[in-house]
Amino acid sequence: MNPLLTPFDTAPFSKIKNEHFKPAFLQAIEDARLEIDAIANSKKAPTFENTVAALDFAGQQLDRVSSVFFNLNSAETNPEIQKIAQEVSPLLSEFSNDITLNEELFKRVKTVYDQRNDLELTTEEQTLLDKKYKSFSRNGANLPLDKKKRLREIDAELSKLKLQFGENVLAETNKYEMHLTNEEDLDGLPEGEKEAAAQLAKSKDKDGWLITLDYPSYIPFMKYASNRKLRKELSIAFGSKGFHNDELDNQKNIINIANLRHERANLLGYKTHAHYVLEERMAETPEKVHQFLQELLEKAKPAAEREFAELENFAKQLDKIDRLEKWDGAYYSEKLKQKLFDLDDEKLKPYFKLENVIAGVFKVAAKLFGLQFEEVFDIDKYHPDVKTYRIYDKNKNLVSLFYADFHPRPGKRGGAWMTSYKAQYVQNGINVRPHISNVCNFTKPTASKPSLLTFNEVTTLFHEFGHGLHGMLANTVYPGLSGTSVYWDFVELPSQIMENWCYEKEALELFATHYQTGEVIPMELVQKIKDSATFQEGMATLRQISFGLLDMSWHGADPSGISNVKEQEVKAFEPTDLYPECPETCMSTSFSHIFQGGYSSGYYSYKWAEVLDADAFAYFKEKGIFNQEVATKFKDNVLSKGGTEKPMELYKRFRGSEPKIEALLKRAGLLAETTN
Ligand SMILES: [Zn+2]
């Protein structure tokens, strides 16, 4: 008896053994294949129900097995699970490729799609139909045979180039080390960082200290080391990865990637790669992204220039530096920050006992959305540390199950995330409720001390819980459109907006009390947190804009004329430059986000998401942060709607208008002081 192949409601963790996974995957893939074949080969005329809806509900068992398995691989893994992951991943991508390439299936979907205007579909049904159709057409299903063949060649070539790009960046990172034998050269570094550098040297049988291009080594050195010459050396080494005209050089790879992406987009009928990508984003078009970045640039630049002048002046006074270079920025910023704010995590932590913060986020959700949380002990779990809850609405209807897994342990990866074990959907008239999970890595309590969170961890908890609410409150028919299945420049709205409550007196009073004295956190402390959070926000914004502009310069226009990578980059960075240009470095040749990861034509979305959450929260601030009318509008138009409609439509229905950047500028302290 394989517990994963027996129908289950909550994941049967205690019954699952590692040896159950592989056979469960094989069987579930086989079953899903049969379901898909039955849809594709049906003798009945294609309809929305028997084709599009059926396709979305196919393979449910496979989804459940996959979610249990991959969630465990993140939160409670072991070498055996990791080995199984390597074995099943190719099977799963083969299965999903077979669906996209299934011509009979596409024919049926296309027949329904071509009739879409006569079918009187609901908005959600139209969205599902569009999404399914595009999952084929964006992979070339409409192309004639020769072009289809070319598309496959491009895809194969692109995945090789992206891999090569990444391998080069990694090799460049590993190749470099700065070996220091004179302790004075580490002047300024905190003891812990020095120790880590000594450890690293020791692990490689060297004396003294080693600094590398890995973030945990590189960042502290740039921030604290007072030796300017060494900072320059390290900064140039970091900034010139893939830019040495040797066998690890990435310049040709980038030009090839950009051109192949452009050709691929053209084949599919899009003007550029950015047009192709943005079709499935809230921003929709490259023009809109450009307009967005431009508007932000205009507003942020004066503040950034002010901050830069202040920093340069500070460096001049402190060390007689007359021209601030890229390798000076982090160092003097850290010094200036220390001078302006004397803020220390240890002062804040006693106000944020984990249990209080959890109770706090539940209280906030109760006040906003009428949710009630009940810890329960009858649900199977994968580790004793995991807590389980049933969440009800005002009328005691079950809304969701919630797993909370908050402490680190071996076998759990770092970071914090939201995930689900079961999607919400409606089938046969039954609204099936979801199983949502939050996983974090907060310090475990000891016998004498409870788990006390840093402020950053508090906002992380609220953030992940916001993603959680998006899953819990889902109320859609189709699982493929439910919860967080939205365009990815929209998915951070529910999470980021929740962080805002962590800065509000009215919310903090609900939970931020000293774990020993019961005293509520003093507002001066909260104000300090706010002020230090927006320190040098203008410069930080400009930096994000510059990356967005660089991304768009590679993907938003025909790249066939580009022959010089550095020239292209200098041109893209020109509007955002603060520091003097450094000819030895090039960012593009190690910009993994856009040339290896999934962020091509998407880098703007970091700032986009901030604009959304600031604008949305400004509405709460206007009417009161626990205002029922606004909260209900947010729930009804955003949290419950998943991807059933275009996000801009959902947002406008909540807010009454498109998002404006003013709220973000105000929150970030970037609005120029008015002189009247
Ligand atoms: Zn997030």
Side-chain angles (χ1 to χ4, degrees):
M1 279 288 276
N2 187 330
L4 288 162
L5 291 170
T6 321
F8 56 87
D9 179 39
T10 61
F13 296 114
S14 63
K15 297 197 194 95
I16 303 171
K17 300 203 167 59
N18 287 340
E19 62 262 32
H20 290 134
F21 283 116
K22 189 83 182 282
F25 268 114
L26 292 175
Q27 185 65 52
I29 289 175
E30 180 59 29
D31 292 348
R33 229 179 254 285
L34 290 175
E35 286 177 64
I36 300 284
D37 287 348
I39 300 167
N41 304 328
S42 164
K43 296 281 170 284
K44 291 186 186 140
T47 64
F48 178 84
E49 275 309 316
N50 74 18
T51 303
V52 179
L55 198 52
D56 201 51
F57 281 109
Q60 273 181 338
Q61 184 73 9
L62 180 58
D63 287 345
R64 303 272 345 243
V65 173
S66 296
S67 70
V68 171
F69 177 77
F70 287 105
N71 285 334
L72 285 181
N73 191 30
S74 296
E76 182 68 9
T77 194
N78 56 53
E80 221 172 309
I81 289 189
Q82 285 164 338
K83 191 169 154 269
I84 299 167
Q86 279 176 6
E87 286 167 19
V88 299
S89 293
L91 300 178
L92 291 169
S93 42
E94 189 192 329
F95 171 66
S96 74
N97 281 341
D98 286 350
I99 296 178
T100 340
L101 299 176
N102 187 325
E103 299 198 8
E104 291 309 310
L105 188 60
F106 176 61
K107 255 190 232 158
R108 291 180 65 87
V109 173
K110 188 171 160 54
T111 306
V112 182
Y113 185 77
D114 289 341
Q115 302 164 350
R116 64 193 179 282
N117 295 328
D118 307 318
L119 295 176
E120 294 181 4
L121 300 174
T122 65
T123 309
E124 180 174 353
E125 289 165 347
Q126 285 172 36
T127 306
L128 186 71
L129 174 56
D130 197 54
K131 186 172 175 170
K132 293 289 174 210
Y133 175 77
K134 294 248 168 72
S135 72
F136 293 94
S137 69
R138 286 169 61 87
N139 276 300
N142 277 317
L143 295 180
L145 214 60
D146 57 328
K147 288 191 175 165
K148 248 185 207 156
K149 196 172 149 254
R150 178 64 193 142
L151 195 76
R152 302 290 156 241
E153 283 168 14
I154 292 175
D155 284 342
E157 187 62 19
L158 270 174
S159 55
K160 257 203 313 218
L161 282 168
K162 288 199 275 187
L163 205 66
Q164 187 63 57
F165 177 94
E167 283 172 5
N168 288 351
V169 174
L170 189 65
E172 285 276 70
T173 307
N174 294 338
K175 201 170 111 181
Y176 178 88
E177 52 186 41
M178 191 162 80
H179 186 202
L180 304 174
T181 47
N182 183 352
E183 193 163 2
E184 272 171 33
D185 289 341
L186 293 112
D187 212 37
L189 252 72
E191 275 314 309
E193 307 297 349
K194 265 195 199 172
E195 236 164 70
Q199 280 286 333
L200 195 61
K202 212 168 160 195
S203 75
K204 295 193 177 178
D205 279 331
K206 290 192 172 154
D207 55 353
W209 300 265
L210 269 188
I211 306 294
T212 69
L213 298 183
D214 285 318
Y215 281 101
S217 180
Y218 167 76
I219 302 266
F221 198 87
M222 295 309 294
K223 216 161 143 178
Y224 300 112
S226 57
N227 187 323
R228 195 181 189 207
K229 214 176 111 250
L230 292 178
R231 283 204 314 266
K232 177 178 178 179
E233 184 192 319
L234 190 69
S235 164
I236 290 179
F238 189 88
S240 60
K241 283 177 283 181
F243 191 57
H244 295 120
N245 292 310
D246 55 9
E247 73 285 356
L248 298 178
D249 194 282
N250 266 333
Q251 295 176 77
K252 257 218 182 76
N253 290 336
I254 292 174
I255 289 182
N256 287 339
I257 290 173
N259 279 291
L260 285 169
R261 281 175 173 166
H262 187 70
E263 186 189 346
R264 188 184 194 279
N266 286 169
L267 264 180
L268 292 168
Y270 299 87
K271 211 171 140 205
T272 67
H273 179 65
H275 286 86
Y276 168 76
V277 170
L278 293 165
E279 182 186 53
E280 297 199 320
R281 298 284 197 270
M282 186 178 180
E284 286 188 337
T285 63
E287 291 72 27
K288 189 107 189 211
V289 172
H290 275 294
Q291 192 194 328
F292 169 69
L293 292 173
Q294 206 51 47
E295 199 184 349
L296 208 53
L297 173 63
E298 264 166 46
K299 299 282 166 58
K301 199 162 182 183
E305 282 170 340
R306 263 198 319 270
E307 292 162 6
F308 187 77
E310 186 192 10
L311 190 64
E312 198 161 46
N313 199 22
F314 176 71
K316 190 177 276 176
Q317 282 178 7
L318 204 66
D319 288 334
K320 303 192 174 56
I321 305 279
D322 46 35
R323 202 174 73 153
L324 208 59
E325 300 277 358
K326 279 180 183 143
W327 40 89
D328 298 321
Y331 178 74
Y332 288 104
S333 291
E334 180 61 27
K335 285 239 171 326
L336 183 58
K337 193 174 180 181
Q338 277 170 12
K339 193 185 140 192
L340 295 176
F341 316 96
D342 147 53
L343 196 66
D344 166 3
D345 268 338
E346 296 308 313
K347 266 187 217 152
L348 299 171
K349 278 164 82 172
Y351 296 97
F352 299 117
K353 186 172 122 178
L354 176 63
E355 287 73 15
N356 293 349
V357 180
I358 297 170
V361 82
F362 287 173
K363 277 183 202 163
V364 169
K367 283 174 89 91
L368 289 170
F369 310 116
L371 298 176
Q372 294 166 28
F373 297 80
E374 187 188 315
E375 184 170 3
V376 291
F377 303 90
D378 59 344
I379 292 171
D380 205 346
K381 45 200 196 182
Y382 56 88
H383 191 277
D385 278 359
V386 179
K387 290 182 189 303
T388 47
Y389 300 85
R390 280 197 186 86
I391 303 174
Y392 299 97
D393 66 11
K394 277 194 196 106
N395 307 316
K396 260 286 180 183
N397 298 311
L398 182 72
V399 171
S400 176
L401 283 188
F402 180 50
Y403 298 86
D405 177 4
F406 284 139
H407 302 298
R409 57 178 171 265
K412 182 168 170 181
R413 74 171 158 91
W417 61 95
M418 166 270 188
T419 182
S420 84
Y421 285 94
K422 186 182 185 186
Q424 175 277 335
Y425 55 86
V426 178
Q427 202 174 26
N428 306 322
I430 297 168
N431 194 327
V432 177
R433 298 313 305 169
H435 301 172
I436 303 299
S437 170
N438 274 177
V439 190
C440 304
N441 280 286
F442 303 137
T443 318
K444 232 182 148 159
T446 62
S448 59
K449 210 172 178 197
S451 170
L452 301 175
L453 305 189
T454 64
F455 188 72
N456 197 15
E457 290 174 328
V458 175
T459 55
T460 298
L461 193 149
F462 272 69
H463 179 105
E464 296 310 331
F465 192 77
H467 282 308
L469 287 170
H470 205 181
M472 293 168 196
L473 292 169
N475 198 13
T476 68
V477 178
Y478 300 103
L481 300 175
S482 186
T484 53
S485 308
V486 298
Y487 289 169
W488 75 320
D489 53 358
F490 193 59
V491 77
E492 295 298 329
L493 168 61
S495 53
Q496 287 184 184
I497 194 174
M498 286 305 291
E499 295 181 31
N500 289 282
W501 274 268
C502 302
Y503 296 89
E504 297 294 325
K505 184 166 185 280
E506 227 184 313
L508 286 166
E509 279 169 357
L510 298 173
F511 68 94
T513 50
H514 197 286
Y515 81 102
Q516 286 163 322
T517 65
E519 172 214 14
V520 175
I521 190 168
M523 274 320 282
E524 310 89 78
L525 267 183
V526 179
Q527 191 55 45
K528 250 191 191 174
I529 299 170
K530 279 193 200 183
D531 291 344
S532 70
T534 57
F535 173 65
Q536 292 189 339
E537 188 66 19
M539 283 166 69
T541 302
L542 224 60
R543 192 177 137 88
Q544 290 293 97
I545 296 170
S546 74
F547 297 163
L549 289 174
L550 182 61
D551 174 20
M552 293 308 286
S553 93
W554 282 109
H555 299 115
D558 180 354
S560 60
I562 304 174
S563 58
N564 187 320
V565 170
K566 178 73 179 175
E567 247 172 48
Q568 174 75 9
E569 181 168 304
V570 168
K571 211 163 57 192
F573 279 164
E574 201 265 331
T576 55
D577 273 340
L578 292 170
Y579 294 93
E581 211 318 272
C582 173
E584 293 109 304
T585 60
C586 181
M587 162 143 197
S588 299
T589 50
S590 64
F591 198 175
S592 304
H593 267 77
I594 65 166
F595 289 115
Q596 188 193 1
Y599 271 81
S600 63
S601 313
Y603 205 90
Y604 74 91
S605 53
Y606 285 109
K607 276 288 150 195
W608 182 270
E610 282 182 42
V611 166
L612 288 182
D613 95 75
D615 186 65
F617 190 67
Y619 193 19
F620 278 98
K621 287 280 274 184
E622 256 166 54
K623 305 260 178 177
I625 64 165
F626 291 116
N627 181 281
Q628 284 308 292
E629 187 201 343
V630 182
T632 305
K633 272 168 101 176
F634 193 63
K635 184 177 98 181
D636 292 349
N637 295 303
V638 177
L639 292 176
S640 66
K641 282 284 196 283
T644 55
E645 255 187 278
K646 291 237 154 111
M648 190 62 92
E649 294 309 311
L650 295 177
Y651 191 85
K652 284 196 291 196
R653 217 170 298 139
F654 154 65
R655 187 66 168 104
S657 62
E658 288 199 7
K660 298 185 203 66
I661 70 170
E662 274 67 27
L664 173 68
L665 298 172
K666 199 172 154 205
R667 188 174 71 186
L670 293 180
L671 282 181
E673 276 103 275
T674 45
T675 46
N676 45 18

